[in-house]
Structures are given as structure tokens and as C-alpha cells.
Amino acid sequence: MSNEENITSIEAVHNSGGDSSNALDLVPEDPDLIEDLKNLTIKRTFDTKKLSPKVTKRVLFLKDIQVKHDELEEKFLEEKAALEAKYDSLYKPLFDKRYEIVNGVAEAETEKGVPNFWLIAMKTNEMLANEITERDEGALKYLKDIRCCRVENNSRNFKLEFLFDPNPYFKNSVLSKTYHVTDDDDDGPVLDKVIGTDIEWCPGKCLTHKVVVKKRPKKGSKKVNNIPMTKTENCESFFNFFKPPEIDEVDECYTTMDEELQNLTDQDYDIAVTIRDKLIPHAVSWFTGEALVDEDEYNDDENDD
């Protein structure tokens, strides 16, 4: 009898409620099977037709367990989305009040609100501080709020919004970044696409590029009115965050460029999640530095474990 016939007959027994008392019977080790397992990380697929009938039957029972798990997980995600929506509405009045205090809404004093609130909060977080350059600080002083909202009622999709006062750096009043996540049957949640705002920089104020002077021509070469040649180069800036790496279809054979793109995408998503899950809900604690102390204590507890 062929392997395919074995699988078919075993499925028939399983589906008809056959005896499973011997489902955990041991089978001799198969050298070919062992070799397949060694190569599994390279091939990423495994030919179940090479399994013995008894092992195949066990796999069928495991598939039943997986199906039940997936059904529960789907229900969990539905309830999680509903719970998040409920608490988003409860959080909103608190965030609105925080916005009013930070920005001095309805205050009569000359010095309104809490100056540089978001800049200080962001720089207290190590991951975000590493993205902020000294040149960025001037523009980030005009940041008056950071918000997060779900997209299309999907708990995995989210948008970050950075609200700015009028400033001499760019014309946009809101810079946003949207993350779309899809559920893949094989890999689970997968980042599908990321959309960022095109920043309308004011003349001479672009923070993501810098003008550099090229080396002077060698002696004897012609110059044009002795004017030095310049060129524009990309430079480090927090505002590069709004121009996300482009996510293309990934081939089965990974290249060095694919890995580099993956690292950039992972870093970009980590920054977004840090802003969403740490900075926005606990901004006051990051401003005062208390969040940093709490995070150090958490890391110490993790190391002790």
C-alpha cells in the first residue's frame, strides 16, 4: 500500500471516530525522516507523505487541536478588538484633558501650557532619543500632541498622528503614519503596507537632507566664477520616520538587500509600537522620567528571572 493510500485510510478511520488508543505508539526512527528534519530550516516545507501510518494518524489528531486553537484565537481577537474600542472611548476624555493642559488651552497667563512637553517625553525614551538629532529639536518644540487611532475598525491596523503648531520648518499641521497588518495563514500577522505623510518643507528648512560642498577642483581645472559646487545628501533625522521603507513582495531566496530591508522595516515598526504602546499612554511619566525608572526596574526583574 502506498503512503497516499495509508493517509487516505487513516483519515477515514479518524473521521469515523475510530479507536485512538494506539495513537501514541512509538515507531522506529527513519534515517530519511531524520535527514528531512535536518533540512527543514532550509526547505521550510516538510513532506508529510514520508510519515508512517501511525505518525500520520497522530498528525491528524494534532491538526484537530490546531483547528480548535485557531477557532478560539479568532474569538479572542474579536473580543480583544471590542474591548480595545471600549477603552479607546474611555481614554479619549483623559487624553483631551492632557492636550488642553499641555497646550495651555483657555489659560490667560503669558506662559501657557507645558513647554517642550512632547520633545522631552520623546527624548527620555532611549529608542526615540536615538532617532532625534539636534537639528530636529527645533521643529519638535512645535509638537503639541501625538495620537493613535485604529484603522477600519481593525485592531491590528493603526495610525499615528503628530499635531504641530504653525512653525518655520514645514507647512503640514499634521504628520501621520499608518500601518496595515494582514493575517497570513502560514506566518500569522504580517505587515502589509506602511503609509507616511509627504512633508512640505519650507525653503531651506528640510531636516532630512543637507547641502554639502564638493571637493574643490584640482589645480588647473576650470571653475565657473569661482563658485563652489554643492550637492544634497540624505541625513539622519527623526522626520525620516514619515518616509517608511517600501515593502515589496519577498522572494523565497533572500538576498542581502532583502535582509537589510527587513531590518529597516522591523526597526520602523518597533518605533511605531513604542510610540503607540509606551509614549502616548504614559507621556506624563516619560516627561517626568518616572517611566524610565519603571522600565529599569522591569528590566532588572527580567534579568533576575
Side-chain angles (χ1 to χ4, degrees):
M1 182 181 290
S2 69
N3 284 334
E4 291 185 3
E5 290 171 337
N6 282 333
I7 293 175
T8 302
S9 62
I10 291 166
E11 286 180 339
V13 172
H14 172 65
N15 293 333
S16 62
D19 181 21
S20 62
S21 59
N22 62 347
L24 298 179
D25 288 346
L26 297 177
V27 294
E29 291 184 343
D30 184 342
D32 292 335
L33 178 59
I34 293 174
E35 187 62 27
D36 283 343
L37 292 174
K38 289 180 180 179
N39 296 330
L40 185 58
T41 55
I42 300 174
K43 294 164 62 179
R44 295 181 180 272
T45 57
F46 179 74
D47 187 2
T48 56
K49 293 179 182 179
K50 294 183 178 182
L51 297 173
S52 69
K54 289 184 178 180
V55 175
T56 300
K57 188 172 183 179
R58 295 176 190 138
V59 172
L60 293 175
F61 279 102
L62 290 175
K63 287 177 66 176
D64 270 354
I65 294 173
Q66 186 64 56
V67 168
K68 291 175 181 177
H69 169 275
D70 293 345
E71 290 173 350
L72 285 174
E73 184 178 39
E74 185 176 354
K75 184 178 180 182
F76 162 73
L77 293 175
E78 290 176 357
E79 294 181 4
K80 179 172 177 272
L83 190 63
E84 287 179 341
K86 172 186 175 182
Y87 277 87
D88 282 345
S89 62
L90 294 175
Y91 291 145
K92 189 177 184 305
L94 300 177
F95 291 156
D96 289 344
K97 188 64 179 177
R98 181 178 70 186
Y99 171 84
E100 292 176 358
I101 294 174
V102 167
N103 293 283
V105 177
E107 283 187 14
E109 290 84 352
T110 303
E111 185 179 10
K112 297 182 179 181
V114 183
N116 304 325
F117 175 84
W118 286 103
L119 172 59
I120 294 172
M122 291 173 69
K123 290 196 67 177
T124 306
N125 180 280
E126 184 177 4
M127 177 176 284
L128 300 181
N130 289 335
E131 302 299 314
I132 298 172
T133 68
E134 187 174 348
R135 295 172 70 231
D136 294 331
E137 293 184 14
L140 289 173
K141 289 179 179 180
Y142 291 90
L143 179 58
K144 60 182 183 179
D145 202 15
I146 306 177
R147 298 173 183 175
C148 180
C149 61
R150 293 188 301 149
V151 178
E152 300 170 356
N153 293 322
N154 186 323
S155 62
R156 297 190 189 278
N157 299 344
F158 65 94
K159 175 191 283 188
L160 297 174
E161 293 183 327
F162 295 71
L163 283 64
F164 286 85
D165 279 323
N167 63 82
Y169 293 90
F170 46 82
K171 300 176 182 179
N172 313 68
S173 59
V174 179
L175 301 181
S176 67
K177 188 86 170 282
T178 305
Y179 291 81
H180 291 267
V181 180
T182 58
D183 289 315
D184 186 275
D185 292 338
D186 297 324
D187 300 324
V190 175
L191 189 60
D192 184 33
K193 62 180 178 179
V194 184
I195 303 172
T197 298
D198 289 329
I199 302 178
E200 300 178 53
W201 296 104
C202 296
K205 293 293 186 178
C206 179
L207 297 172
T208 59
H209 295 86
K210 62 181 179 180
V211 178
V212 296
V213 179
K214 289 186 176 181
K215 292 182 179 179
R216 291 187 176 184
K218 294 181 180 179
K219 191 174 183 180
S221 60
K222 295 181 180 179
K223 297 182 181 179
V224 182
N225 297 328
N226 290 324
I227 300 176
M229 298 180 66
T230 61
K231 63 178 181 178
T232 302
E233 294 182 348
N234 295 332
C235 63
E236 293 183 353
S237 170
F238 171 77
F239 292 92
N240 286 320
F241 177 69
F242 298 99
K243 187 177 181 181
E246 295 182 4
I247 303 174
D248 299 320
E249 292 292 330
V250 180
D251 297 328
E252 291 184 2
C253 298
Y254 292 96
T255 64
T256 304
M257 183 60 69
D258 291 327
E259 293 177 2
E260 182 179 351
L261 176 61
Q262 184 65 51
N263 291 335
L264 290 173
T265 303
D266 290 344
Q267 181 182 9
D268 178 82
Y269 190 71
D270 287 344
I271 292 172
V273 170
T274 295
I275 294 171
R276 181 192 68 184
D277 295 346
K278 292 185 176 182
L279 181 66
I280 293 177
H282 307 291
V284 177
S285 296
W286 286 107
F287 177 80
T288 62
E290 294 169 283
L292 193 59
V293 174
D294 293 340
E295 195 159 84
D296 288 341
E297 291 177 351
Y298 175 80
N299 291 333
D300 289 341
D301 292 340
E302 287 285 300
N303 293 332
D304 291 340
D305 293 341

